[in-house]
mmCIF file of all heavy atoms in Angstrom:
data_model
loop_
_atom_site.group_PDB
_atom_site.id
_atom_site.type_symbol
_atom_site.label_atom_id
_atom_site.label_comp_id
_atom_site.label_asym_id
_atom_site.label_seq_id
_atom_site.Cartn_x
_atom_site.Cartn_y
_atom_site.Cartn_z
ATOM 1 N N LEU A 48 123.178 -116.446 80.322
ATOM 2 C CA LEU A 48 122.207 -117.090 81.217
ATOM 3 C C LEU A 48 121.368 -116.053 81.950
ATOM 4 O O LEU A 48 120.142 -116.193 82.060
ATOM 5 C CB LEU A 48 122.925 -117.999 82.219
ATOM 6 C CG LEU A 48 123.573 -119.260 81.652
ATOM 7 C CD1 LEU A 48 124.457 -119.926 82.700
ATOM 8 C CD2 LEU A 48 122.521 -120.224 81.133
ATOM 9 N N LYS A 49 122.020 -115.007 82.434
ATOM 10 C CA LYS A 49 121.304 -113.939 83.147
ATOM 11 C C LYS A 49 120.277 -113.287 82.230
ATOM 12 O O LYS A 49 119.139 -113.029 82.641
ATOM 13 C CB LYS A 49 122.291 -112.900 83.676
ATOM 14 C CG LYS A 49 121.628 -111.784 84.488
ATOM 15 C CD LYS A 49 122.666 -110.794 84.974
ATOM 16 C CE LYS A 49 122.111 -109.731 85.862
ATOM 17 N NZ LYS A 49 120.986 -108.974 85.347
ATOM 18 N N GLN A 50 120.666 -113.042 81.002
ATOM 19 C CA GLN A 50 119.748 -112.413 80.053
ATOM 20 C C GLN A 50 118.523 -113.301 79.817
ATOM 21 O O GLN A 50 117.394 -112.808 79.779
ATOM 22 C CB GLN A 50 120.475 -112.139 78.732
ATOM 23 C CG GLN A 50 119.648 -111.352 77.742
ATOM 24 C CD GLN A 50 120.458 -110.963 76.512
ATOM 25 O OE1 GLN A 50 121.609 -111.368 76.332
ATOM 26 N NE2 GLN A 50 119.855 -110.163 75.657
ATOM 27 N N LYS A 51 118.741 -114.593 79.684
ATOM 28 C CA LYS A 51 117.605 -115.512 79.500
ATOM 29 C C LYS A 51 116.672 -115.470 80.712
ATOM 30 O O LYS A 51 115.454 -115.405 80.558
ATOM 31 C CB LYS A 51 118.101 -116.945 79.266
ATOM 32 C CG LYS A 51 118.585 -117.198 77.873
ATOM 33 C CD LYS A 51 118.928 -118.666 77.694
ATOM 34 C CE LYS A 51 119.248 -118.951 76.251
ATOM 35 N NZ LYS A 51 119.430 -120.385 76.000
ATOM 36 N N TYR A 52 117.246 -115.536 81.918
ATOM 37 C CA TYR A 52 116.411 -115.468 83.122
ATOM 38 C C TYR A 52 115.655 -114.143 83.183
ATOM 39 O O TYR A 52 114.465 -114.115 83.460
ATOM 40 C CB TYR A 52 117.257 -115.635 84.389
ATOM 41 C CG TYR A 52 117.570 -117.063 84.762
ATOM 42 C CD1 TYR A 52 118.880 -117.498 84.847
ATOM 43 C CD2 TYR A 52 116.562 -117.977 85.065
ATOM 44 C CE1 TYR A 52 119.185 -118.811 85.210
ATOM 45 C CE2 TYR A 52 116.851 -119.286 85.426
ATOM 46 C CZ TYR A 52 118.162 -119.697 85.500
ATOM 47 O OH TYR A 52 118.449 -120.989 85.857
ATOM 48 N N ASP A 53 116.360 -113.046 82.909
ATOM 49 C CA ASP A 53 115.740 -111.719 82.982
ATOM 50 C C ASP A 53 114.593 -111.565 81.986
ATOM 51 O O ASP A 53 113.627 -110.854 82.256
ATOM 52 C CB ASP A 53 116.781 -110.620 82.744
ATOM 53 C CG ASP A 53 117.736 -110.440 83.910
ATOM 54 O OD1 ASP A 53 117.461 -110.973 85.009
ATOM 55 O OD2 ASP A 53 118.780 -109.767 83.721
ATOM 56 N N GLN A 54 114.711 -112.218 80.840
ATOM 57 C CA GLN A 54 113.680 -112.115 79.806
ATOM 58 C C GLN A 54 112.598 -113.184 79.949
ATOM 59 O O GLN A 54 111.698 -113.267 79.124
ATOM 60 C CB GLN A 54 114.327 -112.181 78.421
ATOM 61 C CG GLN A 54 115.199 -110.973 78.140
ATOM 62 C CD GLN A 54 115.962 -111.079 76.822
ATOM 63 O OE1 GLN A 54 116.007 -112.130 76.191
ATOM 64 N NE2 GLN A 54 116.569 -109.981 76.418
ATOM 65 N N GLY A 55 112.710 -113.999 80.995
ATOM 66 C CA GLY A 55 111.699 -115.019 81.246
ATOM 67 C C GLY A 55 111.767 -116.204 80.305
ATOM 68 O O GLY A 55 110.803 -116.962 80.171
ATOM 69 N N GLU A 56 112.913 -116.376 79.646
ATOM 70 C CA GLU A 56 113.076 -117.502 78.730
ATOM 71 C C GLU A 56 113.408 -118.770 79.508
ATOM 72 O O GLU A 56 113.896 -118.720 80.628
ATOM 73 C CB GLU A 56 114.215 -117.217 77.742
ATOM 74 C CG GLU A 56 113.939 -116.060 76.803
ATOM 75 C CD GLU A 56 115.124 -115.787 75.881
ATOM 76 O OE1 GLU A 56 115.905 -116.720 75.589
ATOM 77 O OE2 GLU A 56 115.268 -114.622 75.463
ATOM 78 N N LYS A 57 113.172 -119.908 78.863
ATOM 79 C CA LYS A 57 113.527 -121.196 79.451
ATOM 80 C C LYS A 57 115.055 -121.300 79.454
ATOM 81 O O LYS A 57 115.712 -121.022 78.455
ATOM 82 C CB LYS A 57 112.925 -122.334 78.631
ATOM 83 C CG LYS A 57 113.126 -123.698 79.237
ATOM 84 C CD LYS A 57 112.413 -124.753 78.396
ATOM 85 C CE LYS A 57 112.448 -126.126 78.987
ATOM 86 N NZ LYS A 57 113.708 -126.635 79.408
ATOM 87 N N VAL A 58 115.608 -121.699 80.591
ATOM 88 C CA VAL A 58 117.060 -121.803 80.719
ATOM 89 C C VAL A 58 117.430 -123.262 80.901
ATOM 90 O O VAL A 58 116.906 -123.945 81.782
ATOM 91 C CB VAL A 58 117.568 -120.964 81.921
ATOM 92 C CG1 VAL A 58 119.058 -121.119 82.094
ATOM 93 C CG2 VAL A 58 117.186 -119.501 81.738
ATOM 94 N N ASP A 59 118.329 -123.734 80.038
ATOM 95 C CA ASP A 59 118.817 -125.107 80.100
ATOM 96 C C ASP A 59 120.248 -125.078 80.641
ATOM 97 O O ASP A 59 121.206 -124.933 79.885
ATOM 98 C CB ASP A 59 118.772 -125.741 78.711
ATOM 99 C CG ASP A 59 119.230 -127.184 78.699
ATOM 100 O OD1 ASP A 59 119.647 -127.708 79.757
ATOM 101 O OD2 ASP A 59 119.176 -127.804 77.616
ATOM 102 N N LEU A 60 120.370 -125.204 81.954
ATOM 103 C CA LEU A 60 121.686 -125.100 82.580
ATOM 104 C C LEU A 60 122.606 -126.250 82.177
ATOM 105 O O LEU A 60 123.823 -126.073 82.078
ATOM 106 C CB LEU A 60 121.553 -125.043 84.105
ATOM 107 C CG LEU A 60 120.854 -123.807 84.655
ATOM 108 C CD1 LEU A 60 120.707 -123.910 86.171
ATOM 109 C CD2 LEU A 60 121.599 -122.531 84.276
ATOM 110 N N ILE A 61 122.041 -127.413 81.922
ATOM 111 C CA ILE A 61 122.877 -128.568 81.565
ATOM 112 C C ILE A 61 123.590 -128.333 80.240
ATOM 113 O O ILE A 61 124.786 -128.611 80.117
ATOM 114 C CB ILE A 61 122.034 -129.866 81.534
ATOM 115 C CG1 ILE A 61 121.576 -130.193 82.958
ATOM 116 C CG2 ILE A 61 122.825 -131.027 80.930
ATOM 117 C CD1 ILE A 61 120.607 -131.351 83.065
ATOM 118 N N ASN A 62 122.884 -127.787 79.262
ATOM 119 C CA ASN A 62 123.497 -127.582 77.945
ATOM 120 C C ASN A 62 124.153 -126.212 77.788
ATOM 121 O O ASN A 62 125.100 -126.072 77.017
ATOM 122 C CB ASN A 62 122.455 -127.788 76.838
ATOM 123 C CG ASN A 62 122.038 -129.240 76.741
ATOM 124 O OD1 ASN A 62 122.872 -130.141 76.777
ATOM 125 N ND2 ASN A 62 120.742 -129.476 76.649
ATOM 126 N N ASP A 63 123.640 -125.204 78.484
ATOM 127 C CA ASP A 63 124.132 -123.838 78.276
ATOM 128 C C ASP A 63 125.067 -123.356 79.377
ATOM 129 O O ASP A 63 125.685 -122.304 79.237
ATOM 130 C CB ASP A 63 122.952 -122.856 78.167
ATOM 131 C CG ASP A 63 122.066 -123.163 76.972
ATOM 132 O OD1 ASP A 63 122.553 -123.788 76.011
ATOM 133 O OD2 ASP A 63 120.879 -122.792 77.009
ATOM 134 N N GLY A 64 125.149 -124.087 80.471
ATOM 135 C CA GLY A 64 125.965 -123.627 81.592
ATOM 136 C C GLY A 64 127.120 -124.559 81.887
ATOM 137 O O GLY A 64 127.328 -125.561 81.205
ATOM 138 N N ASP A 65 127.877 -124.211 82.896
ATOM 139 C CA ASP A 65 128.905 -125.070 83.468
ATOM 140 C C ASP A 65 128.925 -124.755 84.961
ATOM 141 O O ASP A 65 128.322 -123.774 85.395
ATOM 142 C CB ASP A 65 130.276 -124.852 82.810
ATOM 143 C CG ASP A 65 130.767 -123.426 82.945
ATOM 144 O OD1 ASP A 65 131.079 -123.001 84.087
ATOM 145 O OD2 ASP A 65 130.841 -122.715 81.920
ATOM 146 N N ILE A 66 129.586 -125.575 85.728
ATOM 147 C CA ILE A 66 129.533 -125.440 87.186
ATOM 148 C C ILE A 66 129.959 -124.048 87.642
ATOM 149 O O ILE A 66 129.251 -123.403 88.429
ATOM 150 C CB ILE A 66 130.395 -126.528 87.860
ATOM 151 C CG1 ILE A 66 129.786 -127.911 87.587
ATOM 152 C CG2 ILE A 66 130.509 -126.278 89.367
ATOM 153 C CD1 ILE A 66 130.698 -129.075 87.925
ATOM 154 N N ASP A 67 131.096 -123.566 87.167
ATOM 155 C CA ASP A 67 131.602 -122.270 87.642
ATOM 156 C C ASP A 67 130.703 -121.116 87.206
ATOM 157 O O ASP A 67 130.504 -120.166 87.967
ATOM 158 C CB ASP A 67 133.045 -122.052 87.169
ATOM 159 C CG ASP A 67 134.006 -123.051 87.796
ATOM 160 O OD1 ASP A 67 133.827 -123.384 88.987
ATOM 161 O OD2 ASP A 67 134.937 -123.504 87.104
ATOM 162 N N SER A 68 130.146 -121.193 86.003
ATOM 163 C CA SER A 68 129.263 -120.119 85.531
ATOM 164 C C SER A 68 127.945 -120.100 86.302
ATOM 165 O O SER A 68 127.453 -119.031 86.673
ATOM 166 C CB SER A 68 128.985 -120.266 84.032
ATOM 167 O OG SER A 68 130.189 -120.123 83.305
ATOM 168 N N VAL A 69 127.386 -121.269 86.594
ATOM 169 C CA VAL A 69 126.141 -121.329 87.352
ATOM 170 C C VAL A 69 126.382 -120.868 88.786
ATOM 171 O O VAL A 69 125.584 -120.103 89.349
ATOM 172 C CB VAL A 69 125.520 -122.746 87.298
ATOM 173 C CG1 VAL A 69 124.318 -122.860 88.223
ATOM 174 C CG2 VAL A 69 125.121 -123.089 85.859
ATOM 175 N N ALA A 70 127.490 -121.294 89.378
ATOM 176 C CA ALA A 70 127.820 -120.855 90.742
ATOM 177 C C ALA A 70 128.016 -119.336 90.788
ATOM 178 O O ALA A 70 127.552 -118.668 91.717
ATOM 179 C CB ALA A 70 129.072 -121.572 91.244
ATOM 180 N N SER A 71 128.675 -118.788 89.781
ATOM 181 C CA SER A 71 128.878 -117.331 89.718
ATOM 182 C C SER A 71 127.559 -116.601 89.527
ATOM 183 O O SER A 71 127.312 -115.558 90.147
ATOM 184 C CB SER A 71 129.829 -116.972 88.567
ATOM 185 O OG SER A 71 131.115 -117.482 88.807
ATOM 186 N N LEU A 72 126.689 -117.141 88.687
ATOM 187 C CA LEU A 72 125.374 -116.532 88.464
ATOM 188 C C LEU A 72 124.532 -116.588 89.734
ATOM 189 O O LEU A 72 123.817 -115.638 90.057
ATOM 190 C CB LEU A 72 124.658 -117.229 87.308
ATOM 191 C CG LEU A 72 123.300 -116.653 86.922
ATOM 192 C CD1 LEU A 72 123.425 -115.197 86.473
ATOM 193 C CD2 LEU A 72 122.666 -117.501 85.822
ATOM 194 N N PHE A 73 124.641 -117.677 90.475
ATOM 195 C CA PHE A 73 123.918 -117.812 91.737
ATOM 196 C C PHE A 73 124.349 -116.721 92.714
ATOM 197 O O PHE A 73 123.510 -116.055 93.317
ATOM 198 C CB PHE A 73 124.173 -119.207 92.322
ATOM 199 C CG PHE A 73 123.431 -119.480 93.591
ATOM 200 C CD1 PHE A 73 122.050 -119.544 93.616
ATOM 201 C CD2 PHE A 73 124.113 -119.681 94.779
ATOM 202 C CE1 PHE A 73 121.362 -119.809 94.796
ATOM 203 C CE2 PHE A 73 123.441 -119.939 95.960
ATOM 204 C CZ PHE A 73 122.061 -120.002 95.970
ATOM 205 N N LYS A 74 125.649 -116.511 92.849
ATOM 206 C CA LYS A 74 126.144 -115.443 93.739
ATOM 207 C C LYS A 74 125.705 -114.075 93.228
ATOM 208 O O LYS A 74 125.320 -113.211 94.016
ATOM 209 C CB LYS A 74 127.670 -115.493 93.851
ATOM 210 C CG LYS A 74 128.190 -116.712 94.591
ATOM 211 C CD LYS A 74 129.676 -116.646 94.853
ATOM 212 C CE LYS A 74 130.479 -116.442 93.604
ATOM 213 N NZ LYS A 74 131.932 -116.460 93.841
ATOM 214 N N LEU A 75 125.726 -113.886 91.913
ATOM 215 C CA LEU A 75 125.300 -112.611 91.319
ATOM 216 C C LEU A 75 123.821 -112.354 91.599
ATOM 217 O O LEU A 75 123.436 -111.231 91.939
ATOM 218 C CB LEU A 75 125.561 -112.623 89.813
ATOM 219 C CG LEU A 75 125.199 -111.354 89.050
ATOM 220 C CD1 LEU A 75 126.044 -110.168 89.523
ATOM 221 C CD2 LEU A 75 125.377 -111.575 87.547
ATOM 222 N N PHE A 76 122.992 -113.389 91.486
ATOM 223 C CA PHE A 76 121.572 -113.244 91.788
ATOM 224 C C PHE A 76 121.380 -112.728 93.210
ATOM 225 O O PHE A 76 120.644 -111.772 93.444
ATOM 226 C CB PHE A 76 120.839 -114.586 91.608
ATOM 227 C CG PHE A 76 119.424 -114.559 92.117
ATOM 228 C CD1 PHE A 76 118.408 -114.070 91.314
ATOM 229 C CD2 PHE A 76 119.112 -114.988 93.395
ATOM 230 C CE1 PHE A 76 117.094 -114.021 91.783
ATOM 231 C CE2 PHE A 76 117.804 -114.940 93.871
ATOM 232 C CZ PHE A 76 116.803 -114.455 93.061
ATOM 233 N N LEU A 77 122.054 -113.358 94.169
ATOM 234 C CA LEU A 77 121.921 -112.940 95.567
ATOM 235 C C LEU A 77 122.443 -111.519 95.767
ATOM 236 O O LEU A 77 121.855 -110.728 96.508
ATOM 237 C CB LEU A 77 122.671 -113.914 96.481
ATOM 238 C CG LEU A 77 122.107 -115.340 96.525
ATOM 239 C CD1 LEU A 77 123.047 -116.250 97.304
ATOM 240 C CD2 LEU A 77 120.708 -115.358 97.118
ATOM 241 N N LYS A 78 123.524 -111.198 95.094
ATOM 242 C CA LYS A 78 124.131 -109.867 95.227
ATOM 243 C C LYS A 78 123.224 -108.772 94.648
ATOM 244 O O LYS A 78 123.170 -107.662 95.178
ATOM 245 C CB LYS A 78 125.483 -109.851 94.507
ATOM 246 C CG LYS A 78 126.217 -108.545 94.574
ATOM 247 C CD LYS A 78 127.533 -108.620 93.837
ATOM 248 C CE LYS A 78 128.234 -107.293 93.871
ATOM 249 N NZ LYS A 78 129.449 -107.290 93.055
ATOM 250 N N GLU A 79 122.516 -109.089 93.580
ATOM 251 C CA GLU A 79 121.698 -108.079 92.901
ATOM 252 C C GLU A 79 120.292 -107.932 93.463
ATOM 253 O O GLU A 79 119.523 -107.100 92.971
ATOM 254 C CB GLU A 79 121.643 -108.365 91.395
ATOM 255 C CG GLU A 79 122.967 -108.089 90.707
ATOM 256 C CD GLU A 79 122.887 -108.188 89.196
ATOM 257 O OE1 GLU A 79 121.868 -108.698 88.658
ATOM 258 O OE2 GLU A 79 123.853 -107.756 88.545
ATOM 259 N N LEU A 80 119.943 -108.721 94.466
ATOM 260 C CA LEU A 80 118.629 -108.519 95.091
ATOM 261 C C LEU A 80 118.565 -107.097 95.637
ATOM 262 O O LEU A 80 119.522 -106.636 96.267
ATOM 263 C CB LEU A 80 118.417 -109.516 96.234
ATOM 264 C CG LEU A 80 118.140 -110.960 95.850
ATOM 265 C CD1 LEU A 80 118.154 -111.853 97.090
ATOM 266 C CD2 LEU A 80 116.823 -111.078 95.106
ATOM 267 N N PRO A 81 117.470 -106.378 95.417
ATOM 268 C CA PRO A 81 117.382 -105.001 95.911
ATOM 269 C C PRO A 81 117.508 -104.911 97.438
ATOM 270 O O PRO A 81 118.027 -103.938 97.966
ATOM 271 C CB PRO A 81 116.017 -104.514 95.449
ATOM 272 C CG PRO A 81 115.468 -105.547 94.556
ATOM 273 C CD PRO A 81 116.297 -106.778 94.655
ATOM 274 N N VAL A 82 117.021 -105.933 98.126
ATOM 275 C CA VAL A 82 117.157 -106.018 99.587
ATOM 276 C C VAL A 82 117.875 -107.333 99.863
ATOM 277 O O VAL A 82 117.447 -108.383 99.385
ATOM 278 C CB VAL A 82 115.784 -105.992 100.296
ATOM 279 C CG1 VAL A 82 115.951 -106.171 101.798
ATOM 280 C CG2 VAL A 82 115.052 -104.691 99.992
ATOM 281 N N ALA A 83 118.958 -107.262 100.613
ATOM 282 C CA ALA A 83 119.750 -108.455 100.902
ATOM 283 C C ALA A 83 118.913 -109.514 101.613
ATOM 284 O O ALA A 83 117.871 -109.209 102.201
ATOM 285 C CB ALA A 83 120.952 -108.074 101.779
ATOM 286 N N VAL A 84 119.376 -110.752 101.573
ATOM 287 C CA VAL A 84 118.676 -111.835 102.258
ATOM 288 C C VAL A 84 118.479 -111.470 103.728
ATOM 289 O O VAL A 84 117.403 -111.659 104.288
ATOM 290 C CB VAL A 84 119.432 -113.174 102.109
ATOM 291 C CG1 VAL A 84 118.756 -114.274 102.916
ATOM 292 C CG2 VAL A 84 119.522 -113.570 100.636
ATOM 293 N N PHE A 85 119.525 -110.922 104.365
ATOM 294 C CA PHE A 85 119.400 -110.376 105.716
ATOM 295 C C PHE A 85 119.117 -108.882 105.558
ATOM 296 O O PHE A 85 120.032 -108.105 105.303
ATOM 297 C CB PHE A 85 120.686 -110.578 106.526
ATOM 298 C CG PHE A 85 120.835 -111.944 107.094
ATOM 299 C CD1 PHE A 85 121.319 -112.985 106.313
ATOM 300 C CD2 PHE A 85 120.476 -112.208 108.407
ATOM 301 C CE1 PHE A 85 121.444 -114.257 106.822
ATOM 302 C CE2 PHE A 85 120.614 -113.494 108.924
ATOM 303 C CZ PHE A 85 121.097 -114.519 108.133
ATOM 304 N N PRO A 86 117.864 -108.457 105.684
ATOM 305 C CA PRO A 86 117.520 -107.049 105.459
ATOM 306 C C PRO A 86 118.320 -106.100 106.361
ATOM 307 O O PRO A 86 118.608 -106.428 107.514
ATOM 308 C CB PRO A 86 116.023 -106.997 105.794
ATOM 309 C CG PRO A 86 115.542 -108.404 105.622
ATOM 310 C CD PRO A 86 116.690 -109.265 106.030
ATOM 311 N N ASP A 87 118.667 -104.961 105.796
ATOM 312 C CA ASP A 87 119.495 -103.966 106.504
ATOM 313 C C ASP A 87 118.955 -103.604 107.880
ATOM 314 O O ASP A 87 119.701 -103.441 108.823
ATOM 315 C CB ASP A 87 119.626 -102.684 105.671
ATOM 316 C CG ASP A 87 120.432 -102.903 104.402
ATOM 317 O OD1 ASP A 87 121.187 -103.890 104.347
ATOM 318 O OD2 ASP A 87 120.301 -102.087 103.477
#
Side-chain angles (χ1 to χ4, degrees):
L48 291 170
K49 183 180 184 306
Q50 186 173 6
K51 281 185 173 187
Y52 278 120
D53 288 347
Q54 293 174 349
E56 295 178 27
K57 186 176 185 310
V58 177
D59 182 357
L60 295 176
I61 293 173
N62 291 315
D63 298 336
D65 59 68
I66 294 167
D67 294 322
S68 296
V69 173
S71 295
L72 183 61
F73 183 65
K74 292 188 305 184
L75 181 63
F76 171 84
L77 295 172
K78 180 180 178 186
E79 289 188 348
L80 286 172
V82 176
V84 176
F85 280 82
D87 293 340

